[in-house]
Each structure stands twice: as structure tokens, then as C-alpha cells.
Amino acid sequence: MRYSETQLERYSRHIILQEVGLEGQEKISDARVLIIGAGGLGAPAALYLAAAGVGTIGIVDNDRVDISNLQRQIAHFTEDVGREKVVSASAKMRAINPDITVQPLEMLLCADNIRGVIRDYDFVIDGTDNFPTKFLVNDACVMENIPFSHGGILRFDGQTMTVLPGRSACYRCIFRQPPPPDAVPTCSQAGVLGAIAGMLGTIQAAEALKHILGIGQLLTDSLLTFNAAAMNFRKIPLQRQADCPVCGSNPTITELVDYAQAACAMKH
Amino acid sequence: MDQPIEITTTKNLRGVSCPMNLVYTKVALAALKSGQVLEIILDNGAPINNVPGSVLKENHEILEKKQLPDGAWSVLVRKA
Ligand SMILES: [Zn+2]
């Protein structure tokens, strides 16, 4: 028996689920998830995955907590302002669940390091806040064949899709390349309703758990979008594109070079 | 025809409330092989009213339910 009585109580609401059970909880304990970004999406995802008992959780960010983050990045508290985000988030994850291993990775993911980082994990949650990095994460996950959840929020809107590389549509099957800089406002310029970060980040956490457990239907080959002002949810069916530059039959993107500079130059 | 049922494990869940009695039942079942029989002792009331139904939903078989002198219930579960 790998769980103590306290751990059985901690995970009891999972274990009594027919679809999870003891075996499922053990899969969760054995799983390794990487969260890219300890911000609006990454914070709730990190807290829920820690609470669920995901055995190893890596969290990457190179920023420090700013007071303007606290409106939505719920892993960071007022006293954390000025602290490294990964340090702040890791402390909360360990406080929720001391059973798990948290790997704080204070770094900027670039073309030359991302593949080596994501390779160690079973599932990646993209909680980044800019297009160059979202494309970088997509391309790296496709190349390393690592399932991931894409997510984005702006104003009252959210969108998310889950990608099983080589088996379902990737982000680049749908959006060929990043929009030109300044064509799309970032959170800091456009604003965002804080609670939608939780709505989206927890969907991503649920997808990670479903993937680990092998239950239900993942949000693959579909883009879930919502508008919280009208509280409308839409699921748009998607298809893998044979001419996708990264996951298609004759990929033209075979190395992570093009977006390296954009991603590394990007500053909040 | 009235062959005695061979019990592999007995789990006394007296005083264990919902849902931990179900958790311990599932843990005990996980340690058994298919076809083996687990006896669980459940308190009267919510435990006897809830646990057997949850066990059935997971496709295990309930072979017998009988109330004991102290009011608790002995339930025999054959693992699916
Ligand atoms: Zn693609």
C-alpha cells in the first residue's frame, strides 16, 4: 500500500470516483506535468494539480511578482510582490500538498533550451502570455511528441485546445504564424477579467488529469472558446492539416530557430 | 448447494463513515484477485445504505448482506 491513511483521506474524493479509483490516483502520483508560466493560467493550474497529487510538477517562469499580477494570478499573495514567481508558486503548491515534488525552473524558455526542458514531462500546460512563446511551445511539443494544453485569455474571452502531437490538430494547424507584434494587444494593454484566468487554467488542469488518467474525451481536434460577458461557450471542431508546417506530412519547420529571438526578446 | 463462501479478507469498517468506508473497501478490493471474496463490516444507516450500491456500480458482486447482533452489517463482495 503506497498511501498512508492520511493520504487516502486526502485523495478520497478521487479514489471513490469510479473512473479514478486507487489505480487512477496512483497514475496521478506517478505523473510529471510541466507548467509554462506562473501567471494567470499557470497559477490556478499549478494549485489544482498540486492538490490532485500530481507527483512531479515543473513550473517555469523568469518573472517576479508584481502587484498588478495579484488581481488574477492567485498563487501569489501580497507579501510575494518582488519575489520570483516560481518561488512564490512553488511555496503555495508545497503548502497545499507536501506529498509532491515541485521543480521551480526560473528561466526563459527559448528555442535552444525548450526541448531539453519539456522532454522530462508527460504533459505540458501552456500558460504563456504571448504569441511567439505559444508557437514555440507548440512546435517544441510537436517535435518532442509531448501532449499539451494550449490556453489564452484576453478581456472577457478565453480559448483552449488540447494537442496530441501527430494524432490531433496542433496550434499551428489552426493559426499558421504569430500575428505581427502590436497587431494583438497583450493582457497588460487590453485588460482581463481576473476570474476568467481561473476558468481557463482549471480547464487546462482538468485536461492534464484526464490525459494522465486516460479517461473521457480530451479537448482535441476542437477549440473551446468562451466569452464570460455573455457566458457563452463554443466548441469549434478542428482538423489536423496535412500541410501544417510543423505536424504535416512535409514539415517546413524542423528546427526551433525562427521564433527564438522573438520569444527571448519578449518582456512583460 | 449451500456451500460456505470462502472469505479471503475481512475489513472491519465499524465506526468508519462515508466516504472513507468506500475508500477502504476499494483499497481492500484492489489487493484481491478477480473472484476472491471480501467481507466488509459496515455500520447501520448511511454506510449500509450507500457502500453496497457503489460497489455494485463498479461491477463487483454482492453475495450476501446480513445484520449482526450489534446492528452492523456483514457484506460479502466478490471482486469483478
Ligand atoms: Zn499542425
Side-chain angles (χ1 to χ4, degrees):
Chain A
M1 184 65 223
R2 74 188 278 180
Y3 296 121
S4 66
E5 291 202 3
T6 314
Q7 288 172 320
L8 287 175
E9 283 204 62
R10 177 185 283 275
Y11 303 122
S12 58
R13 281 1 178 234
H14 271 162
I15 293 170
I16 62 177
L17 277 176
Q18 193 179 336
E19 296 79 357
V20 181
L22 195 60
E23 305 78 17
Q25 188 60 46
E26 286 175 337
K27 287 183 193 167
I28 296 173
S29 294
D30 291 336
R32 305 173 57 87
V33 175
L34 179 70
I35 299 167
I36 302 181
L41 307 179
L47 297 183
Y48 272 102
L49 293 179
V54 171
T56 306
I57 307 175
I59 184 155
V60 191
D61 207 301
N62 77 319
D63 255 350
R64 285 171 184 269
V65 179
D66 184 83
I67 188 139
S68 66
N69 301 149
L70 304 186
Q71 164 256 19
R72 65 198 176 285
Q73 302 182 11
I74 49 154
H76 312 304
F77 302 165
T78 303
E79 66 193 23
D80 297 315
V81 169
R83 199 170 286 167
E84 296 88 347
K85 282 189 179 178
V86 291
V87 172
S88 162
S90 300
K92 311 319 182 321
M93 293 158 76
R94 292 187 182 113
I96 288 177
N97 193 344
D99 298 345
I100 61 166
T101 300
V102 182
Q103 301 172 323
L105 303 165
E106 201 199 348
M107 60 190 294
L108 193 58
L109 286 181
C110 297
D112 58 4
N113 64 16
I114 186 170
R115 292 180 68 168
V117 173
I118 65 173
R119 205 170 279 160
D120 280 342
Y121 297 90
D122 307 319
F123 193 89
V124 168
I125 289 184
D126 173 12
T128 63
D129 65 351
N130 65 82
F131 285 102
T133 313
K134 288 188 190 303
F135 280 88
L136 183 71
V137 170
N138 178 77
D139 297 351
C141 285
V142 169
M143 288 174 190
E144 291 293 331
N145 193 24
I146 295 172
F148 73 100
S149 166
H150 153 81
I153 51 170
L154 197 67
R155 299 190 187 98
F156 293 86
D157 298 295
Q159 66 170 39
T160 177
M161 68 186 282
T162 300
V163 177
L164 297 175
R167 287 186 279 162
S168 74
C170 83
Y171 187 56
R172 214 185 264 278
C173 285
I174 319 307
F175 306 102
R176 281 299 150 100
Q177 53 190 3
D182 300 329
V184 179
T186 61
C187 262
S188 54
Q189 289 155 29
V192 60
L193 187 73
I196 73 164
M199 291 171 65
L200 203 96
T202 53
I203 291 174
Q204 293 185 284
E207 287 290 289
L209 292 173
K210 284 163 55 189
H211 172 72
I212 291 164
L213 292 164
I215 60 172
Q217 294 84 43
L218 291 171
L219 188 59
T220 48
D221 289 325
S222 42
L223 183 73
L224 178 73
T225 67
F226 64 74
N227 173 273
M231 209 46 92
N232 278 336
F233 283 71
R234 271 175 75 198
K235 207 163 155 182
I236 303 159
L238 304 173
Q239 271 190 336
R240 221 179 133 200
Q241 300 298 309
D243 63 347
C244 172
V246 68
C247 83
S249 11
N250 292 300
T252 51
I253 300 168
T254 52
E255 271 183 58
L256 299 173
V257 183
D258 292 343
Y259 293 96
Q261 293 221 315
C264 288
M266 187 64 64
K267 266 278 173 197
H268 281 265
Chain B
M1 292 301 286
D2 205 20
Q3 283 184 349
I5 299 165
E6 193 188 325
I7 295 167
T8 306
T9 313
T10 295
K11 190 82 195 164
N12 179 5
L13 297 170
R14 283 187 182 89
V16 182
S17 51
C18 301
M20 287 309 293
N21 44 21
L22 177 57
V23 171
Y24 287 120
T25 300
K26 292 182 77 163
V27 168
L29 282 168
L32 298 189
K33 295 191 185 80
S34 175
Q36 290 186 319
V37 176
L38 169 72
E39 178 187 35
I40 46 177
I41 312 292
L42 296 169
D43 283 337
N44 199 18
I48 187 63
N49 290 333
N50 286 290
V51 175
S54 303
V55 166
L56 281 173
K57 271 198 204 116
E58 306 211 354
N59 301 319
H60 306 298
E61 193 184 343
I62 305 283
L63 301 177
E64 188 184 287
K65 270 197 266 189
K66 73 171 185 244
Q67 196 160 24
L68 305 173
D70 68 348
W73 291 75
S74 159
V75 179
L76 300 187
V77 184
R78 193 202 302 276
K79 182 172 174 170

